[in-house]
Amino acid sequence: MNNSGLGHKIYSYLLATYKWYLRTPERSLDEAYNAALEIQKLENEYFNGNKIGSDLTPHSSSVMDYFESNLKKQLRIIRMRLTEFRASRFFVNESNQKSIKKLGIEHLNPSIVLEKLRFIDEVTAKYTISDEDIITREPIDKAPDPQIEALAVEPKQSNIIKRNLNNNGRRIQSKGKTDTTGVLPRSIFNTINRLQIELDPKSEQDVVQNFRKAQRRTIISVRFLLLLIIVPILTHQLSKAFIVGPIVNHFKSSEEAAIFLNYEMEEQALLELQRFEEKIKFQNLISSNITPSEKNIEIQVREKALEIAEEYRLISANAIKNVFADILSVIAFIWFLLLSKKEIAVLKDFLDHVVYGLSDSAKAFIIILFTDIFVGFHSPHGWEVILEGISRHWGLPANHDFIFLFIATFPVILDTIFKYWIFRYLNRISPSAVATYRNMNE
């Protein structure tokens, strides 16, 4: 009777879980729709129907920070729930559709779904366009900011591409070399353009707007870099403590668990036990007390052997946990990258401004530093330490043949990539930095 009652409870729990799974598309769409309603509510109550962050509203900076944080929260909910909606509808097949009818779950009305999706797109479209205009794009019809240009030694390739675009955003045919060379030096025209910008009454507003764009780009980039580091580490620690660890401990009892995962662990344990035994014998020989019997020495050695076995059993279990925790960390890292396409574009633009804004000597110094660390004369020792550490982390034996082969090939490939990048891109964008690099490297 108890078994039947327990089986009925398990069946009810599984049925409720299955119903919850079948309702995932509807639930995700409703949550995204409610988040869009919250954004529209803020727009109607505090911004007169305009988008949040409009310059026409008389709110203070602290109030605007509150509204913008709430907006980011709702946009994040919409993005995550729409991703969940698309994924859940992809995995719902024909058999699931039949189960929905049998369980009495109402099927999603296509007209209602389209109406909610259209409303969500209308609410989020204005902020998507705003983010791209504010962060990743620069106005094409305006003259460049002289303060921003002063930071860069050489013009960026993206600016050259933007100059080949007309006002409609379409690419125009580039001119030949004879057309790009004018009668007067280009610096004279740049000076005239800079004077026009300085005499323009709206130049101060442009400078403030460009500064706000740069500030927002920096904040987003720094936060994204921190999340790229925190998300895998936090996923590894939490999954190892609450998911992988209990599962491994459940399926591997202390008596049946393997003590050593590879022969290197066994050799280290035997060497440690041998040194302990020799240490006991040495202390007994130099002490003035009566020499203990072989039986007492054997008891002490046995206790030490059990202690070493328990220690290496924990090390082996920890290595197994690290393998699965690292897999989950990689999945979380890739998932985070897939959801952060806009942040990746902002980060790329931020790195372009930072790298190409450095002086020639700073660029050459960074290139020499990276090349000497990863492909320099002393780099094989560092690669050997890294590979041995990874092998111990996963409980694998350090295959020295593989390590030597990796050191003999991978740094050479990196060195070739560095040289190709210098020859192909840096030499075209900043030839003076390449000349400085060659002089410093000699």
Side-chain angles (χ1 to χ4, degrees):
M1 187 69 180
N2 293 332
N3 294 332
S4 62
L6 180 62
H8 181 70
K9 291 181 179 179
I10 295 175
Y11 176 76
S12 301
Y13 175 76
L14 294 176
L15 183 61
T17 304
Y18 187 57
K19 288 182 179 180
W20 178 87
Y21 166 72
L22 294 178
R23 289 194 177 98
T24 301
E26 180 181 2
R27 182 176 60 256
S28 303
L29 182 61
D30 289 340
E31 291 180 2
Y33 181 73
N34 292 332
L37 289 176
E38 289 293 330
I39 296 175
Q40 188 185 53
K41 182 179 178 182
L42 291 176
E43 293 175 349
N44 295 331
E45 291 183 0
Y46 301 101
F47 295 90
N48 297 325
N50 299 320
K51 69 175 184 178
I52 300 174
S54 177
D55 296 334
L56 301 177
T57 56
H59 297 295
S60 62
S61 59
S62 59
V63 175
M64 288 302 301
D65 291 338
Y66 170 76
F67 286 132
E68 289 180 357
S69 63
N70 197 0
L71 172 64
K72 292 178 182 178
K73 177 182 177 182
Q74 301 301 331
L75 290 176
R76 190 183 304 110
I77 292 174
I78 291 174
R79 185 169 62 251
M80 295 177 63
R81 293 298 170 259
L82 288 180
T83 304
E84 183 180 356
F85 172 75
R86 289 190 292 267
S88 59
R89 284 184 62 85
F90 177 78
F91 287 106
V92 173
N93 49 25
E94 296 181 357
S95 61
N96 297 132
Q97 297 290 346
K98 296 178 181 179
S99 301
I100 291 174
K101 297 179 181 179
K102 291 181 180 179
L103 295 175
I105 300 175
E106 295 182 0
H107 189 69
L108 290 176
N109 191 347
S111 60
I112 298 177
V113 172
L114 294 176
E115 183 179 356
K116 290 183 178 180
L117 290 175
R118 190 179 298 109
F119 175 75
I120 293 171
D121 291 338
E122 290 177 357
V123 173
T124 57
K126 61 183 78 173
Y127 299 101
T128 304
I129 297 174
S130 176
D131 288 339
E132 292 178 355
D133 290 338
I134 290 176
I135 301 171
T136 61
R137 295 181 185 175
E138 294 179 353
I140 300 172
D141 54 346
K142 293 184 180 181
D145 185 9
Q147 295 185 1
I148 301 299
E149 283 190 345
L151 296 176
V153 180
E154 299 292 339
K156 290 175 53 179
Q157 185 181 2
S158 59
N159 294 332
I160 298 174
I161 295 175
K162 290 175 182 177
R163 284 196 290 268
N164 293 331
L165 299 175
N166 57 10
N167 294 328
N168 295 326
R170 297 180 181 177
R171 183 178 295 273
I172 59 176
Q173 187 175 1
S174 60
K175 299 180 180 181
K177 292 183 179 180
T178 57
D179 297 332
T180 57
T181 303
V183 178
L184 296 177
R186 189 178 300 174
S187 59
I188 295 178
F189 293 103
N190 292 334
T191 303
I192 295 174
N193 291 330
R194 186 170 66 251
L195 291 175
Q196 291 177 354
I197 293 172
E198 292 176 354
L199 295 175
D200 188 2
K202 297 182 180 180
S203 60
E204 184 177 357
Q205 298 178 0
D206 294 337
V207 171
V208 174
Q209 186 179 5
N210 290 331
F211 175 76
R212 289 179 178 176
K213 293 177 184 178
Q215 185 183 32
R216 187 173 181 181
R217 181 179 60 238
T218 303
I219 294 173
I220 293 175
S221 301
V222 173
R223 183 179 60 187
F224 181 65
L225 288 175
L226 292 177
L227 289 176
L228 284 179
I229 299 173
I230 294 174
V231 168
I233 295 177
L234 192 62
T235 303
H236 181 276
Q237 297 297 327
L238 293 178
S239 61
K240 185 177 178 181
F242 299 103
I243 301 176
V244 179
I247 293 175
V248 173
N249 294 333
H250 176 73
F251 286 99
K252 290 179 69 67
S253 61
S254 59
E255 293 81 6
E256 298 177 356
I259 300 176
F260 308 109
L261 291 179
N262 54 67
Y263 65 91
E264 289 187 353
M265 287 186 179
E266 186 175 359
E267 290 180 356
Q268 292 176 0
L270 293 176
L271 181 61
E272 186 177 352
L273 183 62
Q274 183 180 0
R275 293 184 62 184
F276 177 78
E277 184 178 2
E278 292 175 353
K279 181 179 179 180
I280 292 176
K281 292 180 179 180
F282 178 76
Q283 290 178 353
N284 291 330
L285 290 175
I286 64 175
S287 63
S288 59
N289 298 329
I290 301 174
T291 304
S293 61
E294 294 292 336
K295 185 176 181 181
N296 293 331
I297 296 177
E298 184 178 356
I299 293 174
Q300 293 180 4
V301 173
R302 178 179 175 80
E303 292 177 355
K304 184 65 176 179
L306 294 176
E307 181 181 349
I308 294 174
E310 184 63 25
E311 178 183 355
Y312 277 88
R313 186 180 287 112
L314 294 176
I315 294 175
S316 300
N318 186 58
I320 297 174
K321 297 175 185 177
N322 288 333
V323 173
F324 294 100
D326 289 342
I327 293 174
L328 294 178
S329 299
V330 172
I331 294 174
F333 182 77
I334 296 174
W335 175 77
F336 182 70
L337 289 180
L338 293 177
L339 294 181
S340 305
K341 295 181 180 179
K342 188 185 301 181
E343 286 79 2
I344 293 174
V346 176
L347 179 62
K348 182 180 180 300
D349 188 63
F350 171 76
L351 294 178
D352 289 342
H353 279 79
V354 172
V355 172
Y356 294 107
L358 296 174
S359 62
D360 295 336
S361 58
K363 293 176 184 177
F365 172 78
I366 293 175
I367 293 173
I368 293 174
L369 179 64
F370 275 90
T371 52
D372 286 346
I373 289 176
F374 294 103
V375 298
F377 178 74
H378 299 286
S379 62
H381 303 287
W383 287 112
E384 187 174 358
V385 172
I386 292 174
L387 293 175
E388 289 181 356
I390 294 174
S391 299
R392 288 194 299 269
H393 180 73
W394 290 338
L396 300 175
N399 191 341
H400 295 283
D401 294 335
F402 172 76
I403 292 175
F404 295 150
L405 180 63
F406 181 88
I407 293 174
T409 56
F410 187 72
V412 177
I413 297 173
L414 279 182
D415 186 35
T416 306
I417 294 174
F418 272 122
K419 291 179 179 178
Y420 178 77
W421 176 78
I422 292 172
F423 172 77
R424 184 69 176 83
Y425 296 100
L426 190 62
N427 195 24
R428 182 179 58 185
I429 297 173
S430 181
S432 57
V434 176
T436 306
Y437 162 73
R438 290 174 180 173
N439 292 331
M440 292 178 63
N441 205 16
E442 290 177 358

